[in-house]
CSV table of all heavy atoms in Angstrom, one decimal:
chain,number,residue,atom,x,y,z
A,4,LYS,N,-15.3,-44.8,167.1
A,4,LYS,CA,-15.7,-45.0,165.6
A,4,LYS,C,-17.1,-45.4,165.5
A,4,LYS,O,-17.5,-46.6,165.4
A,4,LYS,CB,-14.8,-46.1,165.1
A,4,LYS,CG,-13.3,-45.7,165.0
A,4,LYS,CD,-12.4,-46.9,164.6
A,4,LYS,CE,-12.6,-47.3,163.2
A,4,LYS,NZ,-11.7,-48.3,162.8
A,5,PRO,N,-18.0,-44.4,165.5
A,5,PRO,CA,-19.5,-44.7,165.5
A,5,PRO,C,-19.9,-45.6,164.2
A,5,PRO,O,-20.8,-46.3,164.3
A,5,PRO,CB,-20.1,-43.4,165.6
A,5,PRO,CG,-19.1,-42.4,165.2
A,5,PRO,CD,-17.8,-43.0,165.5
A,6,LEU,N,-19.2,-45.4,163.1
A,6,LEU,CA,-19.6,-46.1,161.9
A,6,LEU,C,-18.5,-47.1,161.5
A,6,LEU,O,-18.5,-47.6,160.4
A,6,LEU,CB,-19.9,-45.2,160.8
A,6,LEU,CG,-21.1,-44.2,161.0
A,6,LEU,CD1,-21.2,-43.3,159.8
A,6,LEU,CD2,-22.3,-45.0,161.1
A,7,GLY,N,-17.7,-47.5,162.5
A,7,GLY,CA,-16.6,-48.4,162.2
A,7,GLY,C,-17.0,-49.7,161.7
A,7,GLY,O,-16.4,-50.4,160.9
A,8,PHE,N,-18.2,-50.2,162.1
A,8,PHE,CA,-18.7,-51.5,161.7
A,8,PHE,C,-18.9,-51.5,160.2
A,8,PHE,O,-19.0,-52.6,159.6
A,8,PHE,CB,-20.0,-51.8,162.4
A,8,PHE,CG,-21.2,-50.9,162.0
A,8,PHE,CD1,-22.0,-51.2,161.0
A,8,PHE,CD2,-21.4,-49.7,162.7
A,8,PHE,CE1,-23.1,-50.4,160.6
A,8,PHE,CE2,-22.4,-48.9,162.3
A,8,PHE,CZ,-23.3,-49.2,161.3
A,9,ALA,N,-19.1,-50.3,159.5
A,9,ALA,CA,-19.4,-50.3,158.1
A,9,ALA,C,-18.2,-49.8,157.3
A,9,ALA,O,-18.4,-49.6,156.1
A,9,ALA,CB,-20.6,-49.3,157.9
A,10,SER,N,-17.0,-49.7,157.9
A,10,SER,CA,-15.9,-49.1,157.2
A,10,SER,C,-15.5,-49.8,155.9
A,10,SER,O,-15.2,-49.2,154.9
A,10,SER,CB,-14.7,-48.9,158.1
A,10,SER,OG,-14.2,-50.2,158.5
A,11,GLU,N,-15.5,-51.1,155.9
A,11,GLU,CA,-15.2,-51.9,154.7
A,11,GLU,C,-16.2,-51.7,153.6
A,11,GLU,O,-15.8,-51.6,152.4
A,11,GLU,CB,-15.0,-53.4,155.1
A,11,GLU,CG,-13.8,-53.7,155.9
A,11,GLU,CD,-12.5,-53.3,155.3
A,11,GLU,OE1,-12.3,-53.7,154.1
A,11,GLU,OE2,-11.7,-52.7,155.9
A,12,TYR,N,-17.4,-51.5,153.9
A,12,TYR,CA,-18.4,-51.3,152.9
A,12,TYR,C,-18.4,-49.9,152.4
A,12,TYR,O,-18.6,-49.6,151.2
A,12,TYR,CB,-19.8,-51.7,153.4
A,12,TYR,CG,-19.9,-53.2,153.7
A,12,TYR,CD1,-19.7,-53.6,155.0
A,12,TYR,CD2,-20.0,-54.1,152.7
A,12,TYR,CE1,-19.7,-55.0,155.2
A,12,TYR,CE2,-20.1,-55.4,152.9
A,12,TYR,CZ,-19.9,-55.9,154.2
A,12,TYR,OH,-19.9,-57.3,154.4
A,13,VAL,N,-18.1,-48.9,153.3
A,13,VAL,CA,-18.0,-47.5,152.9
A,13,VAL,C,-16.7,-47.4,152.0
A,13,VAL,O,-16.8,-46.7,151.0
A,13,VAL,CB,-17.9,-46.6,154.1
A,13,VAL,CG1,-17.5,-45.2,153.7
A,13,VAL,CG2,-19.2,-46.6,154.9
A,14,TYR,N,-15.7,-48.1,152.3
A,14,TYR,CA,-14.5,-48.1,151.4
A,14,TYR,C,-14.9,-48.7,150.0
A,14,TYR,O,-14.5,-48.1,149.0
A,14,TYR,CB,-13.4,-49.0,152.0
A,14,TYR,CG,-12.3,-49.2,151.0
A,14,TYR,CD1,-11.3,-48.2,150.7
A,14,TYR,CD2,-12.2,-50.4,150.3
A,14,TYR,CE1,-10.4,-48.4,149.8
A,14,TYR,CE2,-11.2,-50.6,149.4
A,14,TYR,CZ,-10.3,-49.6,149.1
A,14,TYR,OH,-9.3,-49.8,148.2
A,15,SER,N,-15.6,-49.8,149.9
A,15,SER,CA,-15.9,-50.3,148.6
A,15,SER,C,-16.8,-49.4,147.8
A,15,SER,O,-16.6,-49.2,146.6
A,15,SER,CB,-16.7,-51.6,148.8
A,15,SER,OG,-15.8,-52.7,149.3
A,16,VAL,N,-17.7,-48.7,148.5
A,16,VAL,CA,-18.6,-47.8,147.8
A,16,VAL,C,-17.8,-46.6,147.3
A,16,VAL,O,-17.9,-46.1,146.2
A,16,VAL,CB,-19.8,-47.3,148.7
A,16,VAL,CG1,-20.6,-46.2,148.0
A,16,VAL,CG2,-20.7,-48.5,148.9
A,17,SER,N,-16.9,-46.1,148.2
A,17,SER,CA,-16.0,-45.0,147.8
A,17,SER,C,-15.1,-45.3,146.6
A,17,SER,O,-15.0,-44.6,145.7
A,17,SER,CB,-15.1,-44.6,149.0
A,17,SER,OG,-15.9,-44.1,150.0
A,18,ARG,N,-14.6,-46.6,146.6
A,18,ARG,CA,-13.8,-47.0,145.5
A,18,ARG,C,-14.6,-47.1,144.2
A,18,ARG,O,-14.1,-46.6,143.1
A,18,ARG,CB,-13.3,-48.5,145.8
A,18,ARG,CG,-12.3,-49.0,144.8
A,18,ARG,CD,-12.4,-50.5,144.6
A,18,ARG,NE,-13.6,-50.9,144.0
A,18,ARG,CZ,-14.5,-51.6,144.6
A,18,ARG,NH1,-14.4,-52.1,145.8
A,18,ARG,NH2,-15.7,-51.9,143.9
A,19,ALA,N,-15.8,-47.5,144.3
A,19,ALA,CA,-16.7,-47.6,143.1
A,19,ALA,C,-17.0,-46.2,142.6
A,19,ALA,O,-17.0,-45.9,141.4
A,19,ALA,CB,-18.0,-48.4,143.4
A,20,VAL,N,-17.3,-45.3,143.5
A,20,VAL,CA,-17.7,-43.9,143.1
A,20,VAL,C,-16.5,-43.2,142.4
A,20,VAL,O,-16.6,-42.6,141.4
A,20,VAL,CB,-18.2,-43.1,144.3
A,20,VAL,CG1,-18.3,-41.6,143.9
A,20,VAL,CG2,-19.6,-43.6,144.7
A,21,VAL,N,-15.3,-43.3,143.0
A,21,VAL,CA,-14.1,-42.7,142.5
A,21,VAL,C,-13.8,-43.3,141.1
A,21,VAL,O,-13.5,-42.6,140.1
A,21,VAL,CB,-12.9,-42.8,143.4
A,21,VAL,CG1,-11.6,-42.4,142.7
A,21,VAL,CG2,-13.2,-42.0,144.7
A,22,GLY,N,-13.9,-44.6,141.0
A,22,GLY,CA,-13.7,-45.3,139.7
A,22,GLY,C,-14.7,-44.8,138.6
A,22,GLY,O,-14.3,-44.5,137.5
A,23,PHE,N,-15.9,-44.6,139.0
A,23,PHE,CA,-17.0,-44.1,138.1
A,23,PHE,C,-16.6,-42.7,137.6
A,23,PHE,O,-16.7,-42.4,136.4
A,23,PHE,CB,-18.3,-44.2,138.7
A,23,PHE,CG,-19.4,-43.5,137.9
A,23,PHE,CD1,-19.9,-44.2,136.8
A,23,PHE,CD2,-19.9,-42.3,138.2
A,23,PHE,CE1,-20.9,-43.6,136.0
A,23,PHE,CE2,-20.9,-41.7,137.4
A,23,PHE,CZ,-21.4,-42.3,136.3
A,24,LEU,N,-16.2,-41.9,138.6
A,24,LEU,CA,-15.9,-40.5,138.2
A,24,LEU,C,-14.7,-40.4,137.3
A,24,LEU,O,-14.6,-39.6,136.3
A,24,LEU,CB,-15.6,-39.6,139.4
A,24,LEU,CG,-16.8,-39.4,140.3
A,24,LEU,CD1,-16.5,-38.7,141.6
A,24,LEU,CD2,-17.9,-38.6,139.6
A,25,PHE,N,-13.7,-41.3,137.5
A,25,PHE,CA,-12.5,-41.4,136.6
A,25,PHE,C,-12.9,-41.9,135.3
A,25,PHE,O,-12.4,-41.4,134.2
A,25,PHE,CB,-11.5,-42.3,137.3
A,25,PHE,CG,-10.1,-42.0,136.8
A,25,PHE,CD1,-9.5,-40.8,137.0
A,25,PHE,CD2,-9.3,-43.0,136.3
A,25,PHE,CE1,-8.2,-40.6,136.6
A,25,PHE,CE2,-8.0,-42.8,135.9
A,25,PHE,CZ,-7.5,-41.6,136.1
A,26,LEU,N,-13.8,-42.9,135.2
A,26,LEU,CA,-14.3,-43.4,134.0
A,26,LEU,C,-15.0,-42.3,133.2
A,26,LEU,O,-14.9,-42.2,132.0
A,26,LEU,CB,-15.3,-44.5,134.3
A,26,LEU,CG,-16.3,-45.0,133.1
A,26,LEU,CD1,-15.5,-45.6,132.0
A,26,LEU,CD2,-17.3,-46.0,133.7
A,27,ALA,N,-15.7,-41.4,133.9
A,27,ALA,CA,-16.4,-40.3,133.2
A,27,ALA,C,-15.4,-39.4,132.5
A,27,ALA,O,-15.7,-38.8,131.4
A,27,ALA,CB,-17.3,-39.5,134.2
A,28,HIS,N,-14.2,-39.2,133.1
A,28,HIS,CA,-13.2,-38.3,132.5
A,28,HIS,C,-12.7,-39.0,131.2
A,28,HIS,O,-12.5,-38.3,130.2
A,28,HIS,CB,-12.0,-38.1,133.4
A,28,HIS,CG,-12.2,-37.1,134.5
A,28,HIS,ND1,-12.1,-35.8,134.3
A,28,HIS,CD2,-12.6,-37.2,135.8
A,28,HIS,CE1,-12.4,-35.1,135.4
A,28,HIS,NE2,-12.7,-36.0,136.3
A,29,GLY,N,-12.6,-40.3,131.3
A,29,GLY,CA,-12.2,-41.0,130.1
A,29,GLY,C,-13.2,-41.0,129.0
A,29,GLY,O,-12.9,-40.8,127.8
A,30,LEU,N,-14.5,-41.0,129.4
A,30,LEU,CA,-15.6,-40.9,128.4
A,30,LEU,C,-15.6,-39.6,127.7
A,30,LEU,O,-15.8,-39.4,126.5
A,30,LEU,CB,-16.9,-41.2,129.0
A,30,LEU,CG,-17.2,-42.6,129.5
A,30,LEU,CD1,-18.5,-42.7,130.3
A,30,LEU,CD2,-17.3,-43.5,128.2
A,31,GLN,N,-15.3,-38.5,128.5
A,31,GLN,CA,-15.3,-37.2,128.0
A,31,GLN,C,-14.2,-37.1,126.9
A,31,GLN,O,-14.5,-36.6,125.8
A,31,GLN,CB,-15.0,-36.1,129.0
A,31,GLN,CG,-16.2,-35.7,129.8
A,31,GLN,CD,-15.8,-34.5,130.7
A,31,GLN,OE1,-14.8,-34.5,131.3
A,31,GLN,NE2,-16.7,-33.6,130.8
A,32,LYS,N,-13.0,-37.5,127.2
A,32,LYS,CA,-11.9,-37.4,126.3
A,32,LYS,C,-12.1,-38.3,125.1
A,32,LYS,O,-11.9,-37.8,123.9
A,32,LYS,CB,-10.6,-37.8,127.0
A,32,LYS,CG,-10.1,-36.8,128.0
A,32,LYS,CD,-8.7,-37.2,128.5
A,32,LYS,CE,-8.3,-36.3,129.6
A,32,LYS,NZ,-8.8,-36.6,131.0
A,33,SER,N,-12.5,-39.5,125.3
A,33,SER,CA,-12.5,-40.5,124.2
A,33,SER,C,-13.7,-40.4,123.3
A,33,SER,O,-13.6,-40.6,122.1
A,33,SER,CB,-12.5,-41.9,124.8
A,33,SER,OG,-11.3,-42.1,125.6
A,34,PHE,N,-14.9,-40.0,123.8
A,34,PHE,CA,-16.1,-39.9,123.0
A,34,PHE,C,-16.7,-38.6,122.9
A,34,PHE,O,-17.8,-38.4,122.3
A,34,PHE,CB,-17.1,-41.0,123.6
A,34,PHE,CG,-16.6,-42.4,123.5
A,34,PHE,CD1,-16.2,-43.0,124.7
A,34,PHE,CD2,-16.4,-43.0,122.3
A,34,PHE,CE1,-15.7,-44.3,124.7
A,34,PHE,CE2,-15.9,-44.3,122.3
A,34,PHE,CZ,-15.5,-45.0,123.5
A,35,GLY,N,-16.2,-37.6,123.6
A,35,GLY,CA,-16.7,-36.2,123.5
A,35,GLY,C,-18.1,-36.1,124.2
A,35,GLY,O,-19.0,-35.3,123.7
A,36,VAL,N,-18.4,-36.9,125.2
A,36,VAL,CA,-19.7,-36.9,125.9
A,36,VAL,C,-19.6,-36.3,127.2
A,36,VAL,O,-18.5,-35.9,127.7
A,36,VAL,CB,-20.3,-38.3,126.0
A,36,VAL,CG1,-20.5,-38.9,124.6
A,36,VAL,CG2,-19.4,-39.2,126.8
A,37,LEU,N,-20.7,-36.2,127.9
A,37,LEU,CA,-20.8,-35.7,129.3
A,37,LEU,C,-20.2,-34.2,129.4
A,37,LEU,O,-19.4,-33.9,130.3
A,37,LEU,CB,-20.0,-36.6,130.3
A,37,LEU,CG,-20.5,-38.1,130.3
A,37,LEU,CD1,-19.7,-38.9,131.1
A,37,LEU,CD2,-22.0,-38.1,130.8
A,38,GLY,N,-20.6,-33.4,128.5
A,38,GLY,CA,-20.2,-32.0,128.6
A,38,GLY,C,-19.0,-31.6,127.8
A,38,GLY,O,-18.6,-30.5,127.8
A,39,ALA,N,-18.3,-32.6,127.2
A,39,ALA,CA,-17.1,-32.3,126.4
A,39,ALA,C,-17.5,-31.7,125.1
A,39,ALA,O,-18.5,-32.0,124.6
A,39,ALA,CB,-16.3,-33.6,126.2
A,40,GLU,N,-16.7,-30.8,124.6
A,40,GLU,CA,-17.0,-30.1,123.4
A,40,GLU,C,-16.8,-31.1,122.2
A,40,GLU,O,-17.6,-31.0,121.2
A,40,GLU,CB,-16.1,-28.9,123.2
A,40,GLU,CG,-16.3,-27.9,124.3
A,40,GLU,CD,-16.1,-26.5,123.9
A,40,GLU,OE1,-15.9,-26.2,122.7
A,40,GLU,OE2,-16.3,-25.6,124.8
A,41,GLN,N,-15.8,-31.9,122.2
A,41,GLN,CA,-15.5,-32.9,121.2
A,41,GLN,C,-14.6,-34.0,121.7
A,41,GLN,O,-13.8,-33.7,122.7
A,41,GLN,CB,-15.0,-32.3,119.9
A,41,GLN,CG,-13.6,-31.7,120.1
A,41,GLN,CD,-13.2,-31.0,118.8
A,41,GLN,OE1,-14.0,-30.4,118.1
A,41,GLN,NE2,-11.9,-31.1,118.5
A,42,ALA,N,-14.6,-35.1,121.1
A,42,ALA,CA,-13.6,-36.2,121.4
A,42,ALA,C,-12.2,-35.8,120.9
A,42,ALA,O,-12.1,-35.1,119.9
A,42,ALA,CB,-14.0,-37.5,120.8
């Protein structure tokens, strides 16, 4: 595991990125932003 020492931090960053992307889907639907045609 060459990067095993960083696995917990990589997990946290991955969690944050996935959460952000999911949030973006909610913003599209709820507010019609980020490329959505309308809310």
Side-chain angles (χ1 to χ4, degrees):
K4 292 170 73 172
L6 294 177
F8 68 92
S10 65
E11 290 298 312
Y12 295 98
V13 171
Y14 169 76
S15 289
V16 171
S17 298
R18 186 210 69 242
V20 169
V21 170
F23 174 75
L24 294 173
F25 204 59
L26 165 63
H28 282 279
L30 290 170
Q31 278 189 319
K32 287 182 185 87
S33 299
F34 300 109
V36 297
L37 302 174
E40 301 211 2
Q41 66 183 37

